[in-house]
Amino acid sequence: MSRSRTSNAKKPADPKALPVETKPSRRYMSLFIPCLLTYPHDPNAFTQGLEYDQICDSASPASCQDIFWESTGLYGSSTVREVDLVSGSVLRQQALPASDFGEGLVKFGSRLFQLTWLSGKTYFYDVNNFANSTMQYDPLTDGWGATTDGRYIIVSDGSANISFLDPNTLQKVKSIAVNDNDKAVPMLNELEFINNEIWANIWMTECIAKIDPLSGKVRGWVLFTGLRQQLLAESPAQALPIDVLNGIAYDNAGKRLFITGKCWPKMYEVTTEVTKLQMSPVEHLQVQQMCGVTL
């Protein structure tokens, strides 16, 4: 299905406007961020990549719709989707070949980039017509998360490394090793670029690391401790098990942060406007242990 529409979110940035240096800051943690609103989310969606966008009909520019671009995983069930934010309804989707396991997703210009697990493939989709797609091999042997700073496609591979790819060739331009007090932070999963930081889900935890994109140093931690257990208590009989936190999307214009997880029945709009707690050495160690930092 082809539709001529325009997007108001995440235009590629002017490279000259991107930061050339980053000032060091104290590490802090934000404990369970208050949820402002909840929205329905497909409980059968094994979420691997998530990105907010606002779509406006070219024939009626005043009529805009908040949506998510979403990548789902699992062999035989992987898709790329356009999802209505408010209702959670899948507006359209395209299935991947049954032999591919969908992973991270990012929109760059008028295309979606979708990584796959272990196959070394990246799929490209025209945002107006998912059927208009191509595939290209990438330098990753294990694709996990994806985002963009407007210049590069930024990807994770389940290690403590983040790579920056040329969006035209998918060749690796550079990489950073993510660390917290010089200790490696592995299992970096779904990514989002927010306020000149890379936010990364840490697989199998309820932690999001806020990463300096130049040095790889963790600037702070966002903890969603107990949110998955709350969902499990609310939906004990769900067909597909409620899995881990894995989905970060940011509305830059509206300053709204959204999170969800694999097979979560809800999407949360949360706020980062909470007290930032400078951590004592003991608290810092506890957070590192909770978030899978290599000690």
Side-chain angles (χ1 to χ4, degrees):
M1 178 168 65
S2 177
R3 291 182 282 178
S4 177
R5 304 182 303 169
T6 58
S7 168
N8 286 345
K10 279 197 175 175
K11 300 290 191 288
D14 179 355
K16 296 179 181 178
L18 296 175
V20 296
E21 62 180 12
T22 304
K23 296 180 180 180
S25 60
R26 295 179 178 178
R27 289 174 183 80
Y28 59 86
M29 62 179 174
S30 298
L31 297 175
F32 190 85
I33 292 180
C35 297
L36 299 178
L37 295 168
T38 60
Y39 304 93
H41 180 250
D42 180 2
N44 296 313
F46 195 79
T47 303
Q48 299 289 74
L50 189 71
E51 183 162 332
Y52 168 86
D53 205 350
Q54 187 179 73
I55 301 299
C56 301
D57 192 321
S58 57
S60 179
S63 176
C64 296
Q65 182 179 18
D66 292 329
I67 61 103
F68 294 111
W69 306 112
E70 184 172 11
S71 169
T72 69
L74 300 176
Y75 290 115
S77 301
S78 293
T79 64
V80 59
R81 302 176 170 195
E82 180 184 351
V83 179
D84 179 66
L85 187 158
V86 175
S87 68
S89 300
V90 178
L91 302 176
R92 57 194 172 113
Q93 65 179 346
Q94 178 82 14
L96 272 70
S99 59
D100 288 327
F101 192 119
E103 283 284 349
L105 179 82
V106 62
K107 179 172 178 277
F108 194 95
S110 61
R111 296 195 299 172
L112 298 176
F113 291 59
Q114 184 182 30
L115 303 180
T116 56
W117 187 46
L118 298 177
S119 71
K121 299 176 184 177
T122 293
Y123 285 93
F124 305 89
Y125 305 90
D126 182 330
V127 294
N128 292 312
N129 182 4
F130 288 166
N132 184 10
S133 64
T134 57
M135 187 277 290
Q136 182 176 334
Y137 284 97
D138 58 51
L140 302 174
T141 56
D142 195 358
W144 283 42
T147 188
T148 182
D149 59 359
R151 182 187 300 178
Y152 301 112
I153 302 298
I154 302 172
V155 296
S156 64
D157 61 6
S159 70
N161 298 319
I162 289 177
S163 299
F164 294 71
L165 309 183
D166 183 303
N168 297 311
T169 65
L170 292 187
Q171 294 303 303
K172 184 186 297 187
V173 177
K174 61 180 179 177
S175 63
I176 55 174
V178 178
N179 67 93
D180 185 13
N181 268 12
D182 298 321
K183 297 179 175 66
V185 182
M187 297 296 181
L188 301 172
N189 203 356
E190 217 271 308
L191 306 176
E192 184 76 359
F193 198 80
I194 302 174
N195 298 329
N196 293 323
E197 295 176 325
I198 301 170
W199 287 36
N201 277 129
I202 311 301
W203 187 50
M204 299 300 290
T205 77
E206 295 177 299
C207 305
I208 293 176
K210 303 174 72 173
I211 302 162
D212 185 312
L214 297 181
S215 69
K217 293 184 182 297
V218 173
R219 291 177 176 172
W221 292 96
V222 184
L223 309 180
F224 291 92
T225 309
L227 187 56
R228 178 172 176 267
Q229 289 301 316
Q230 178 182 316
L231 272 177
L232 287 167
E234 294 173 356
S235 307
Q238 183 172 300
L240 288 179
I242 293 172
D243 210 303
V244 296
L245 174 73
N246 195 52
I248 315 168
Y250 188 61
D251 169 11
N252 188 59
K255 307 303 178 187
R256 295 184 295 170
L257 176 68
F258 303 91
I259 63 161
T260 191
K262 303 171 192 258
C263 302
W264 282 25
K266 292 182 180 180
M267 178 80 66
Y268 294 90
E269 180 182 334
V270 299
T271 177
T272 56
E273 298 302 320
V274 295
T275 302
K276 296 173 181 177
L277 307 174
Q278 186 177 344
M279 292 181 283
S280 69
V282 172
E283 289 172 327
H284 193 182
L285 179 60
Q286 290 172 338
V287 170
Q288 288 179 321
Q289 292 171 332
M290 182 188 308
C291 299
V293 176
T294 302
L295 301 177

